[in-house]
Amino acid sequence: MPPQWCDLNVMLSREFIIPSNRDIRAKISGENVDQRCTYLCGNSLGPLTKRSKAFLQEELNVWGTRAVQGHFAHPYDREWMNIADTVTPLLAELVGASEKEVACMGTLTANLHLMMAAFYKPTAQRFKILCESKAFPSDQYAFASQARLHGYDPNEAIIEISPRQGEFTLRESDIVDLIAKEGPSISLVIFSGVQYYTGQLFPMKAITTAAKAQGCVCGWDLAHAIGNVPMALHDWDVDFAVWCSYKYLNSGPGGIGGLFVHNKWENRLLPQYAGWWGHDPATRFAMPPRFSAIPGAQGFQQSNPSVLATVSLLGSLQIFKEVGMMGPLRKRSLRLTSELEMRLIKSRFYVPINEVSARCLLQDEMNGKDGTAQQGQPGFTIITPRDPESRGSQLSLLFLPPNSDVMDRVFSALSAMGVVGDERRPDVIRLTPAPLYNTLGDCERAASCLEEAFKGLTKAKL
C-alpha cells in the first residue's frame, strides 16, 4: 500500500462521486455549498464510482450498437453471456471462498429463500431456526414464511436470542450456550454477519463452529458484512451465505445480490428451483429438456443476470482489488471508526452506555417501559460495541430520552448541515465512515455538527 493511503486526511480512492451540499439540499451558504457533503451512509447505500458510471455508459453504447450480438461479441471483452465471470473472482476473494462456491445473482431475500429451500429440512425432532432478535425485517419475514411452508408455527419454530436485560448487543457466550442447550432441536442457525441496527459484528467463526458441533446447518446474511469486514467462509465451514451489493460494495440502488455454498455440498445438494442460467453453459443454448446443474453455487442461478447491475458492481470491485482488498481496508476502517467514536464520546451530550443500561433496568423495575416518552435532558449514547473487533465501520447512536423527538430533530439538523447518515426508528442514527472514501475530516465534521445540533435543541428549550 502506498504511504499516502495510510493518511486518514485524504480519500483512499478518488473514484467516488460524493454529492455536494447543494445536491442534498443542505442549508449551507457561501463557498461550502458546492463542497462535497459529509457522506456517512455507506452502510445503507454506497456512492457511485466514476468507473461504474463509465462502465454503464459503455454497456448502453454496446446495447445501442451491437444489440443482441453483445451477448457473444463485445468491444470491451465483457460478453454478456459471461458477465458474471467478471465479478465472481472478486466476490470470492472478499468472502474467503473459491470461485465455484460463489454466485453473483438475484437479490438478497430471493437468494435467502433459495438457500433455505435447499438447507432448511426440518424434522419432527429438529425443526427450529435460531437467529438474533430484531434481525432485519425481510429476514424475519423469510424465516417465518419458510417455517409456515413446512407446517410449523413460527412462534414455536423460531428461537430469537435477545441481549441481556439492560444491554443492547449479544454476548458470544450466550449465543454459544443457547446453541449447546437447544442444539438437538435446531435445524438452522442463521445470523447477520453485522447486525444492521446495532452494528455488532457477530463472532462468525465461533457461532458456526458451535452450530456444526450440534449438527445444525449454519447460514449467514452478509448484507452489512461484505466489503466491511474480512471473512473466511470456506475455512470457517459455513454452509451458505447471502448478501446484497449496494451497501459497502457500492453497486447502486437495488444492485445485484450474491450467495455462497460450501463446496462440500457440491455433490450432495441439487437446486430445487432450477433455471436455465444454472444449467451447464456448454449445452445451455442447445436448449436440452433436462436440467444439468453447474457444479457448486452457480448451479443455483435461475435467469441471466442484469448486465447493467453487474458492471456497476464491477466498477467498485476493481477499486477494492486495487487497494488490496479487505486487509488494508479493515486497518483503515478500524482507525476511522475509532476516530469518530473518540470525538463523539467527548461531547457533553454523550451518556456512557453503562449509565443508559442502568436507567433501562430501573425503568423496567418501575414498569416505566410503556412506549411513552421518558423525561430527561437530550443526549445520546453509542450502542455499537466499544471493542473494535466486535464491530465493522458503523456506529449506531441511540438518542435520549427514548421515544422522544430528539432523534428526529437531530437528524434534521445534521441533514441541514450537510451530514448524511440514516435514521432507524425509534431512536437510532447510524454513522459509517467507509474506508474507501471517507476521511478524518468527515469524522471531525460529523462530531462537530452533532454537537451543534444538540446545542440547538437545548437553546430551543430555554
Side-chain angles (χ1 to χ4, degrees), residues 180-426:
K181 177 184 176 183
E182 298 287 346
S185 69
I186 297 173
S187 173
L188 172 64
V189 173
I190 181 163
F191 280 73
S192 307
V194 174
Q195 220 283 334
Y196 86 101
Y197 189 80
T198 66
Q200 179 180 11
L201 169 59
F202 286 114
M204 297 176 64
K205 181 179 180 181
I207 292 173
T208 303
T209 299
K212 306 321 280 294
Q214 294 297 321
C216 311
V217 169
C218 189
W220 291 90
D221 174 352
L222 304 179
H224 288 265
I226 190 167
N228 184 13
V229 295
M231 291 177 284
L233 300 187
H234 176 88
D235 291 345
W236 294 341
D237 200 26
V238 169
D239 291 301
F240 73 87
V242 294
W243 58 83
C244 58
S245 63
Y246 49 82
K247 301 179 188 297
Y248 296 96
L249 296 188
N250 316 299
S251 71
I256 196 163
L259 59 80
F260 162 89
V261 178
H262 198 285
N263 65 7
K264 69 182 178 184
W265 292 102
E266 186 174 308
N267 298 315
R268 299 160 54 189
L269 193 69
L270 290 175
Q272 291 183 283
Y273 298 97
W276 80 310
W277 222 251
H279 181 91
D280 181 358
T283 58
R284 181 185 292 149
F285 280 85
M287 308 297 181
R290 294 193 176 183
F291 179 70
S292 176
I294 301 171
Q298 292 167 37
F300 286 89
Q301 297 175 103
Q302 295 175 318
S303 300
N304 49 320
S306 163
V307 170
L308 298 181
T310 305
V311 299
S312 184
L313 172 60
L314 175 63
S316 176
L317 292 183
Q318 287 185 350
I319 298 168
F320 273 84
K321 186 66 174 177
E322 289 167 6
V323 301
M325 286 296 201
M326 288 312 303
L329 283 173
R330 178 62 169 164
K331 291 179 182 178
R332 182 178 170 94
S333 175
L334 289 170
R335 293 174 63 202
L336 278 173
T337 300
S338 293
E339 291 285 351
L340 175 60
E341 178 187 51
M342 180 181 68
R343 284 159 175 76
L344 291 173
I345 63 178
K346 288 180 179 178
S347 167
R348 66 185 178 94
F349 299 97
Y350 172 75
V351 181
I353 189 70
N354 60 311
E355 292 184 21
V356 177
S357 297
R359 291 183 197 177
C360 290
L361 288 171
L362 180 61
Q363 288 169 8
D364 287 349
E365 291 171 3
M366 298 174 63
N367 297 317
K369 206 171 185 180
D370 58 2
T372 60
Q374 302 297 324
Q375 300 299 313
Q377 293 298 313
F380 75 97
T381 192
I382 300 173
I383 61 173
T384 308
R386 290 293 305 272
D387 177 10
E389 297 302 321
S390 296
R391 67 189 185 201
S393 304
Q394 169 187 329
L395 292 179
S396 294
L397 281 57
L398 178 73
F399 288 83
L400 307 167
N403 301 303
S404 66
D405 64 351
V406 172
M407 186 274 284
D408 287 323
R409 295 171 68 189
V410 169
F411 186 77
S412 295
L414 289 175
S415 299
M417 288 184 277
V419 178
V420 181
D422 67 353
E423 56 182 338
R424 284 295 176 265
R425 296 194 179 280

Side-chain angles (χ1 to χ4, degrees), residues 15 29 83 164 223 238 298 328 410 440:
E15 285 274 353
S29 59
I83 193 64
R164 296 186 184 188
V238 169
Q298 292 167 37
V410 169
L440 183 60

Side-chain angles (χ1 to χ4, degrees), residues 421-444:
D422 67 353
E423 56 182 338
R424 284 295 176 265
R425 296 194 179 280
D427 298 308
V428 163
I429 292 176
R430 304 182 299 181
L431 299 177
T432 302
L436 276 172
Y437 51 84
N438 284 124
T439 65
L440 183 60
D442 292 324
C443 298
E444 292 171 342

Side-chain angles (χ1 to χ4, degrees), residues 13 22 50 98 108 112 131 273 347:
S13 172
R22 187 192 302 274
K50 298 173 185 177
S98 68
L108 193 155
L112 177 57
C131 61
Y273 298 97
S347 167

